[in-house]
Amino acid sequence: MGDDPQHGDHQRLGGAECGARERGGPGCPDGPDCPDSPGSPAGVCRRRFLGAAALGAAGLAAGMTAGCDSTSGGDPGTGPTGGDRPELDAERERPGDPDWRIRSAGPADAVQGYTDKVSVLPGEEFGLYVSTTAPGFRVAAYRVGWYRGAQARLVWRSERVAGRRQRAPRVLPGTRSVRADWQRSLRVRTDGWPPGAYLLRLDAEHGHQRYVPLIVRSARAAGRTVLMHAVTTWQAYNAWGGYSLYRGADGGYGTRSLEVSFDRPYDTNGARKFLVYERALVVLAERLGLPLAYTTGLDVHRTPSALRGATAALSPGHDEYWTPQQRQHVTRARDTGTNLAFLGANACFRRVRLEPGPSGALRTVVCYKTSYRDDPHFAGPHRALPTHDFRQPPAADPESTLTGVFYEGYPTDAPYVVHSADHWLFAGTGVKRGEAFDHLVGVEYDRVTPQAPTPAQLEILAHSPLVCNGRHSHADSAYYTVPSGAGVFSSGTMRWVEALMAGTREDGRDHGMDGRTRAFVTRTTENLLRAFAEAPAAKIRPMPRDNVASVYGT
């Protein structure tokens, strides 16, 4: 595994100096989308920030409030598993099952499936929809965790289910959204399934396998570190059926989907985004024995109280697509004392809307991007927010007010260079100022951009020179705090979570990162998670030293 073969195709408009690939925007070359794959273009680094738009939105962004009172989905502060801490502690002591990995994917249509719910509470039921060329299949549900190094445990296995080849994908006219619209293969109850991140492995009788991801979410967040899985980003890049939010069946941006549906399988092995950008973080957090809670960005969108009382909320390695409600609820959590960690790059970049699908509410991710004027909800009488980059007008609201950093571009591959070596996050790593870790910055990156709305008292912890499409720039790790005491850390590189696997058999495409890099990132992340799990960081750790002016000479 390594940088996702699709994640470099962020055809964005209006964020960076080196251009954008959205057709109709400035500098929009066509071509393959993967900057780290053979045959991909030299890339689309961008630092042409539309200053007027972002700076004009500074007051709006800084004054963002919760604003959404929807209560659908229930209050995660109550529920049947509100006291699941002892259960999770016991779960960590169980032996794992190292046989959770796929041995043979086979042809694309060998076996594939999807669920009718992104997440469920323990004990709830979900439907599983499977198509296979085999006469039968079974389902094995693996919960991801440490498990003494096995990294997953078999929680449930189905009986044999008769196989069938289901209908071809359906492409909806107008939005070019792809749906499977299959018949349900089985219902599954999650009685006895502890909260966590699950991989449902489909084992077809001809020997081929696929994953279907599922989150069994926690009923409460109070006193926990919350892992906030980036399911809308998983779906945005999902090209199953020939279409994603980036391209259509002909490979062109102009024929891309304007909406994408959860009612279809994920492409490739079925769980690529989770495996590359999230799994290693789950494994580490479980190994540390922290009080954890599991949720998704969709559930944070749906439930204003989803993060109530959480000590920390973690955004994983690629968490690009957010609704305004999710952003509001995360911001409110920060402002009431919940620490935030953005352990990737390009977080909270695209504004999306969620709509129903055939299997229920919140099953469709809407993002028109540069075609936002064609969105009937935007053009209609209710004038919904545009579904494009948060930083873009109209309704510009740059992500840097929350993350502290500003997405700049891709592709790049550069050393990570430590700046504030004495910061508490680096305790025990032995690093010195200027020490570098090869290939840790990539393939996308963020930087502190003084011209953008930026939190006060922000400290740059790493300042890494790089070259992106021939232009010189920097990637930054940054840290700030707010009056509630909450601390906010942003790694500034999409490879942070990947680096937790660097130099091991768990990451077969680690971009040259080695065991030394893995040790550094692991210790730094341990320091972060332990501190953030204890209390609002400003109450127990030194305050950030505002060094933006000295670093950038402003």
Side-chain angles (χ1 to χ4, degrees):
M1 286 167 284
D3 289 346
D4 188 321
Q6 288 193 58
H7 73 198
D9 60 349
H10 288 67
Q11 300 115 323
R12 305 193 169 90
L13 176 64
E17 222 166 54
C18 312
R21 282 208 290 159
E22 304 231 23
R23 188 178 302 278
C28 48
D30 298 321
D33 65 325
C34 172
D36 274 8
S37 67
S40 62
V44 191
C45 160
R46 301 162 324 150
R47 195 157 52 89
R48 180 161 20 135
F49 170 48
L50 296 185
L55 292 175
L60 169 67
M64 192 166 55
T65 57
C68 176
D69 294 321
S70 168
T71 57
S72 63
D75 183 348
T78 62
T81 58
D84 61 14
R85 175 72 191 278
E87 178 186 10
L88 290 180
D89 287 345
E91 178 68 21
R92 291 180 176 125
E93 298 304 312
R94 295 177 183 269
D97 296 276
D99 186 42
W100 60 270
R101 295 169 178 83
I102 285 177
R103 295 180 298 275
S104 172
D109 64 347
V111 60
Q112 48 195 335
Y114 62 95
T115 59
D116 57 12
K117 295 179 182 177
V118 167
S119 71
V120 294
L121 288 168
E124 289 186 340
E125 184 178 84
F126 64 90
L128 185 59
Y129 301 69
V130 177
S131 177
T132 181
T133 56
F137 67 93
R138 286 179 168 81
V139 186
Y142 290 93
R143 182 183 182 276
V144 175
W146 171 239
Y147 296 111
R148 307 177 193 176
Q151 301 192 24
R153 182 178 77 85
L154 179 63
V155 172
W156 172 84
R157 189 187 297 276
S158 75
E159 300 294 329
R160 181 185 186 273
V161 181
R164 61 179 295 192
R165 185 184 294 219
Q166 304 240 30
R167 56 162 290 165
R170 179 184 177 192
V171 182
L172 303 183
T175 62
R176 298 178 294 276
S177 180
V178 176
R179 292 204 317 245
D181 287 345
W182 291 346
Q183 296 296 309
R184 186 177 58 239
S185 303
L186 67 158
R187 292 181 182 271
V188 181
R189 289 201 63 85
T190 58
D191 294 323
W193 295 27
Y198 283 74
L199 292 171
L200 309 178
R201 196 182 69 196
L202 308 177
D203 297 329
E205 288 179 347
H206 50 31
H208 300 312
Q209 301 165 312
R210 286 290 193 288
Y211 292 126
V212 179
L214 177 75
I215 304 302
V216 177
R217 68 183 184 273
S218 302
R220 59 176 298 183
R224 321 282 184 96
T225 293
V226 180
L227 291 120
M228 188 169 59
H229 296 281
V231 294
T232 52
T233 300
W234 300 356
Q235 197 54 253
Y237 285 88
N238 180 15
W240 187 89
Y243 292 80
S244 71
L245 287 180
Y246 289 88
R247 69 188 60 82
D250 62 359
Y253 172 72
T255 57
R256 73 196 183 281
S257 294
L258 304 174
E259 303 175 354
V260 287
S261 174
F262 283 104
D263 290 307
R264 59 176 181 155
Y266 289 104
D267 56 10
T268 65
N269 65 13
R272 178 178 57 198
K273 283 284 185 184
F274 170 79
L275 289 167
V276 174
Y277 295 115
E278 306 190 14
R279 175 174 65 95
L281 179 61
V282 172
V283 171
L284 174 61
E286 291 254 341
R287 179 173 64 79
L288 293 177
L290 303 175
L292 297 178
Y294 289 84
T295 191
T296 72
L298 186 151
D299 293 299
V300 173
H301 156 93
R302 176 174 56 189
T303 309
S305 54
L307 300 178
R308 180 185 296 161
T311 55
L314 309 182
S315 165
H318 196 182
D319 193 9
E320 177 181 355
Y321 287 76
W322 289 41
T323 67
Q325 292 89 343
Q326 180 187 357
R327 181 167 171 173
Q328 290 163 357
H329 300 160
V330 171
T331 301
R332 181 168 62 187
R334 178 199 66 180
D335 293 345
T336 54
T338 298
N339 302 303
L340 304 179
F342 296 92
L343 298 176
N346 187 225
C348 193
F349 184 78
R350 302 275 197 189
R351 182 194 284 126
V352 301
R353 184 174 68 250
L354 295 173
E355 294 185 352
S359 60
L362 308 183
R363 295 292 292 174
T364 305
V365 181
V366 180
C367 194
Y368 276 67
K369 301 184 183 177
T370 51
S371 301
Y372 69 89
R373 292 180 184 85
D374 298 331
D375 181 353
H377 288 261
F378 175 76
H382 299 295
R383 195 70 173 181
L385 286 171
T387 55
H388 65 358
D389 304 352
F390 271 105
R391 65 178 64 171
Q392 287 277 56
D397 191 4
E399 71 276 12
S400 53
T401 61
L402 177 63
T403 64
V405 293
F406 200 74
Y407 171 74
E408 185 161 282
Y410 85 96
T412 196
D413 182 287
Y416 181 93
V417 180
V418 174
H419 184 77
S420 298
D422 61 343
H423 195 274
W424 60 265
L425 273 167
F426 299 142
T429 65
V431 295
K432 298 179 174 61
R433 183 168 180 169
E435 191 162 351
F437 296 87
D438 289 346
H439 309 293
L440 180 51
V441 174
V443 61
E444 299 191 271
Y445 67 96
D446 302 329
R447 62 169 281 184
V448 172
T449 304
Q451 298 90 340
T454 302
Q457 293 298 118
L458 184 141
E459 183 171 2
I460 294 173
L461 309 182
H463 188 57
S464 307
L466 58 85
V467 177
C468 180
N469 199 27
R471 293 176 182 254
H472 293 264
S473 187
H474 290 83
D476 295 317
S477 290
Y479 175 71
Y480 75 93
T481 58
V482 295
S484 70
V488 180
F489 170 75
S490 291
S491 73
T493 171
M494 195 171 279
R495 289 182 182 160
W496 191 269
V497 174
E498 285 186 85
L500 295 172
M501 304 179 284
T504 73
R505 72 183 185 94
E506 298 300 329
D507 191 354
R509 195 160 169 241
D510 60 11
H511 319 292
M513 294 186 292
D514 58 15
R516 173 176 167 270
T517 297
R518 182 181 74 253
F520 164 73
V521 173
T522 299
R523 179 57 187 266
T524 302
T525 308
E526 289 173 348
N527 292 340
L528 174 77
L529 297 185
R530 285 182 169 130
F532 276 18
E534 186 176 345
K539 298 182 179 181
I540 58 171
R541 294 291 186 275
M543 296 291 287
R545 300 161 294 193
D546 188 350
N547 63 356
V548 175
S550 63
V551 171
Y552 277 102
T554 59

